[in-house]
Amino acid sequence: MSEIKKYYISYNNVHKLCQKVAKEILTRNERPDIIIGISGGGLIPARVIRSFLKQKGEKNIPIQAIGLSLYESMGNMNEGMERIGKEVVRTQWLDFGALKEHFDSLIGKKVLIVDEVDDTRTTLHYAVNELQKEVEQQQQLLNRLNEPTTFSVFVIHNKDKQKNAELPNEMLESGRYYAAETVPDEWLVYPWDADDIDDHTRLAKLQGHD
């Protein structure tokens, strides 16, 4: 079996890719009202892209974190337990108390969901789907059905592979799925996972990811 190639990504590269996508978002007049980072890989790019989305005279865009973990789901089979796929489990969700400092809900807002990589798309699908359901429930409760909420997704890398889940067609067709780069289905090593950041950066530069 051939060894999986590792792609080393530097902090500089992440910084530049966030800047690139922020320019695209601003050009499209899609500056978000709130950024939601998926904890783990999405928090650092969420913070970086916020700097590039800031406009003179405007307040900083609030950032919220949601925690999602993938676990093997098991099924009862005649021969015993068998793995049947991945299940997304919430470990952290929106702090609506903190959100009230900026606005009363997500209703009618532009929401940018951020993660570092779109791999199988399972986690992103869950995040978008659950946030949409929460907004719809709030709209029904508050009788604010005519205030559309716009969800967008930003990932640093989209892996060129078959996905296990989908994002809304309306999001994809309207161009509100932002992937800074589409890359082969290989092992991406981000700087926040590095033990030796100097060696990591050296390897990233050798691969042209600086």
Side-chain angles (χ1 to χ4, degrees), residues 38 61 63 141 186 202:
I38 298 177
I61 301 169
I63 297 176
L141 182 64
E186 301 287 1
R202 178 185 64 82

Side-chain angles (χ1 to χ4, degrees), residues 196-208:
D196 185 335
I197 192 60
D198 292 323
D199 188 55
H200 179 100
T201 303
R202 178 185 64 82
L203 293 169
K205 288 182 177 179
L206 288 174
Q207 294 179 341

Side-chain angles (χ1 to χ4, degrees), residues 15 17 30 38 80 82 88 103 123 128 136 175 187 195-196:
H15 195 87
L17 292 175
E30 293 287 349
I38 298 177
E82 181 175 313
V88 180
F103 36 75
T123 301
V128 173
E136 289 167 4
W187 188 351
D195 290 325
D196 185 335

Side-chain angles (χ1 to χ4, degrees), residues 130-143:
E130 291 298 301
L131 288 168
Q132 284 182 327
K133 285 197 298 186
E134 287 206 3
V135 169
E136 289 167 4
Q137 290 170 359
Q138 290 175 339
Q139 286 179 306
Q140 294 284 347
L141 182 64
L142 300 173
N143 194 26

Side-chain angles (χ1 to χ4, degrees), residues 127-192:
V128 173
N129 190 56
E130 291 298 301
L131 288 168
Q132 284 182 327
K133 285 197 298 186
E134 287 206 3
V135 169
E136 289 167 4
Q137 290 170 359
Q138 290 175 339
Q139 286 179 306
Q140 294 284 347
L141 182 64
L142 300 173
N143 194 26
R144 295 170 59 182
L145 302 179
N146 296 323
E147 300 177 50
T149 301
T150 303
F151 287 95
S152 303
V153 163
F154 162 55
V155 293
I156 302 171
H157 296 107
N158 169 41
K159 287 192 177 182
D160 187 11
K161 62 187 291 184
Q162 183 175 346
K163 307 299 185 182
N164 294 338
E166 297 298 330
L167 293 173
N169 287 332
E170 190 273 334
M171 176 187 289
L172 299 175
E173 292 170 359
S174 62
R176 288 186 282 104
Y177 171 80
Y178 300 96
E181 286 188 335
T182 296
V183 296
D185 183 19
E186 301 287 1
W187 188 351
L188 300 176
V189 187
Y190 290 96
W192 42 86

Side-chain angles (χ1 to χ4, degrees), residues 8-152:
Y8 293 87
I9 311 300
S10 72
Y11 277 115
N12 281 359
N13 191 234
V14 171
H15 195 87
K16 293 172 184 176
L17 292 175
C18 288
Q19 184 177 31
K20 167 189 168 184
V21 172
K23 288 180 180 178
E24 183 179 349
I25 290 173
L26 292 176
T27 298
R28 289 168 46 89
N29 195 31
E30 293 287 349
R31 183 178 184 270
D33 298 300
I34 182 171
I35 297 171
I36 298 177
I38 298 177
S39 66
L43 297 184
I44 292 176
R47 176 60 186 86
V48 174
I49 199 170
R50 182 178 79 166
S51 294
F52 293 118
L53 289 170
K54 183 174 175 60
Q55 294 181 305
K56 190 174 181 179
E58 297 282 353
K59 293 182 179 179
N60 274 326
I61 301 169
I63 297 176
Q64 285 270 310
I66 58 174
L68 303 175
S69 296
L70 277 174
Y71 294 94
E72 295 283 357
S73 57
M74 311 295 284
N76 288 311
M77 310 296 290
N78 293 333
E79 296 78 12
M81 299 295 287
E82 181 175 313
R83 292 178 182 177
I84 59 175
K86 294 282 190 179
E87 179 183 3
V88 180
V89 177
R90 292 188 192 185
T91 57
Q92 178 182 350
W93 203 242
L94 297 178
D95 179 359
F96 285 102
L99 285 176
K100 288 178 182 177
E101 296 179 8
H102 304 278
F103 36 75
D104 60 352
S105 72
L106 296 182
I107 297 173
K109 301 298 187 290
K110 294 179 180 178
V111 182
L112 180 64
I113 302 167
V114 180
D115 207 357
E116 87 275 43
V117 61
D118 181 359
D119 189 348
T120 63
R121 198 165 282 176
T122 304
T123 301
L124 282 171
H125 166 82
Y126 180 92
V128 173
N129 190 56
E130 291 298 301
L131 288 168
Q132 284 182 327
K133 285 197 298 186
E134 287 206 3
V135 169
E136 289 167 4
Q137 290 170 359
Q138 290 175 339
Q139 286 179 306
Q140 294 284 347
L141 182 64
L142 300 173
N143 194 26
R144 295 170 59 182
L145 302 179
N146 296 323
E147 300 177 50
T149 301
T150 303
F151 287 95
S152 303

